[in-house]
Amino acid sequence: VRVTVLSGGIGGARFTTGLVDAVGAEAVTVIGNVGDDLEHWGLHVSPDIDTVLYTLSGRVGELGWGVRDDTRASMGVVAELGGPDWFILGDADIGLHLVRSERLRSGEPLSAIVADLAERFAIGVRLIPATDDRLRTMILTDDGELEFQQWFVGRRAGPAARGVRFEGVPGARPAPGVLEAIRDADRVILAPSNPFISVDPILAVDGVREAVAGRRGDVVAVSPIIGGEAIKGPLAAMLDSLGPERSALGVARHYAGLCSAFVVDERDAALVPAIEALGMRVVTAGALMRDAPARRRLAEAALAA
Ligand code: FO1
């Protein structure tokens, strides 16, 4: 079976490791979010793409991003010299940003660079950024509009999100292979990632939402909300401030029309009838991705849904 996953950061990367265990890396294509990319210290940083690269190559940091046991010598000098130190880049992580930035400057498309990095890190799966064009997730707050990382890291997601806008769409074209990966997969999975800032910016790329909706019968979404709480990140607060509601049902409503199956955690079983009323088949599973066996079981539940 060929599986294509639309993935954001930590949740998507962890889910993908389970999928690799379940069906083998060669069967998996990951379409990665680039909405939270940023330019920092003159470097192009792609946090969500890198989280997939680092997680699948077994070198991810304890927090779910960056490189494990990385040092921060560069960071220390930047701070000492009065440079911007609100966003942490470890020394080893910087090596990747140097290579990517240099190759982007020489005119190579991001997707070609990422394919090469994926091969060199031997992650096994095919990893495609959603677009090679500039796409930026902007968070609308009462303090004005902020770039995603500026809001999430720089402001610690403090100002409530009143809206989300994707700069560059329409007009951002799918990277080579994206539409084909959606069209040709036996299953398309919306990973347990933040729908507003991880999956929506992928769907916002020209033609992607239509391509996914066109495969609706084979599309399954996995809830990133368990018992009304997000495991990581700002999703719970975003569901409060952006709606529809802070639960797996809220996420299912958000995806209505895109998927025909939905995976929720066992402790959300009470929501099943309401989600089914949206026209989705619902499967309950253990959605907390604690360890490798739990990730694999969740991936298998999604495939069986
Ligand atoms: N998250 C933080 O909370 N603080 C940071 O300083 C930070 C730096 C960072 C650097 C590289 C990278 O790949 C990820 C980084 N993240 C950091 C995580 C990132 O902001 C988010 O987890 C994702 O963008 C959300 O999917």
Side-chain angles (χ1 to χ4, degrees):
V1 356
R2 285 160 307 169
V3 186
T4 294
V5 196
L6 275 56
S7 169
I10 299 165
R14 289 184 176 160
F15 178 80
T16 301
T17 63
L19 209 47
V20 166
D21 282 349
V23 298
E26 56 295 328
V28 177
T29 299
V30 177
I31 301 176
N33 172 38
V34 292
D36 39 4
D37 285 20
L38 73 162
E39 270 78 40
H40 196 63
W41 305 349
L43 303 175
H44 183 106
V45 183
S46 294
D48 281 2
I49 297 290
D50 297 348
T51 293
V52 174
L53 286 170
Y54 291 147
T55 301
L56 291 175
S57 63
R59 66 188 83 199
V60 79
E62 300 70 33
L63 298 174
W65 51 267
V67 177
R68 192 184 338 110
D69 298 327
D70 207 352
T71 51
R72 292 185 185 169
S74 306
M75 200 58 216
V77 178
V78 168
E80 188 181 352
L81 298 179
D85 64 348
W86 59 273
F87 193 75
I88 297 166
L89 293 183
D91 298 325
D93 192 25
I94 288 170
L96 188 155
H97 308 317
L98 288 171
V99 168
R100 173 173 39 220
S101 303
E102 166 103 345
R103 289 171 70 166
L104 282 170
R105 265 193 301 273
S106 78
E108 209 177 332
L110 181 65
S111 55
I113 301 168
V114 168
D116 184 49
L117 299 176
E119 183 147 339
R120 287 173 190 269
F121 275 176
I123 66 173
V125 310
R126 187 152 171 245
L127 172 60
I128 318 176
T131 179
D132 285 328
D133 296 325
R134 187 187 155 86
L135 186 159
R136 288 289 184 278
T137 298
M138 307 294 294
I139 307 293
L140 185 65
T141 76
D142 294 337
D143 286 354
E145 207 175 44
L146 301 170
E147 267 204 18
F148 175 73
Q149 300 294 350
Q150 202 90 48
W151 174 73
F152 181 54
V153 177
R155 303 288 297 273
R156 295 169 202 275
R162 303 288 174 210
V164 179
R165 183 176 72 88
F166 303 115
E167 200 175 275
V169 302
R173 296 153 299 173
V178 165
L179 295 181
E180 294 79 358
I182 295 166
R183 189 192 59 206
D184 299 339
D186 299 303
R187 287 278 185 291
V188 176
I189 301 182
L190 309 182
S193 295
N194 186 316
F196 301 108
I197 56 172
S198 293
V199 178
D200 279 359
I202 301 174
L203 295 169
V205 170
D206 291 355
V208 171
R209 179 178 293 276
E210 294 72 18
V212 172
R215 296 296 316 276
R216 185 173 175 269
D218 298 301
V219 180
V220 49
V222 182
S223 177
I225 288 279
I226 299 179
E229 293 303 328
I231 300 315
K232 275 204 117 56
L235 174 56
M238 292 185 98
L239 278 167
D240 283 340
S241 67
L242 295 171
E245 68 166 74
R246 179 175 174 165
S247 71
L249 174 60
V251 177
R253 288 214 171 102
H254 188 80
Y255 286 143
L258 281 178
C259 57
S260 59
F262 198 79
V263 180
V264 299
D265 188 78
E266 279 131 5
R267 72 203 87 163
D268 290 317
L271 298 172
V272 171
I275 299 174
E276 283 174 341
L278 298 171
M280 299 176 192
R281 222 163 31 252
V282 186
V283 169
T284 58
L288 198 59
M289 297 185 285
R290 229 176 286 101
D291 51 17
R295 294 172 193 184
R296 178 179 180 149
R297 283 195 301 273
L298 182 60
E300 283 168 345
L303 291 171

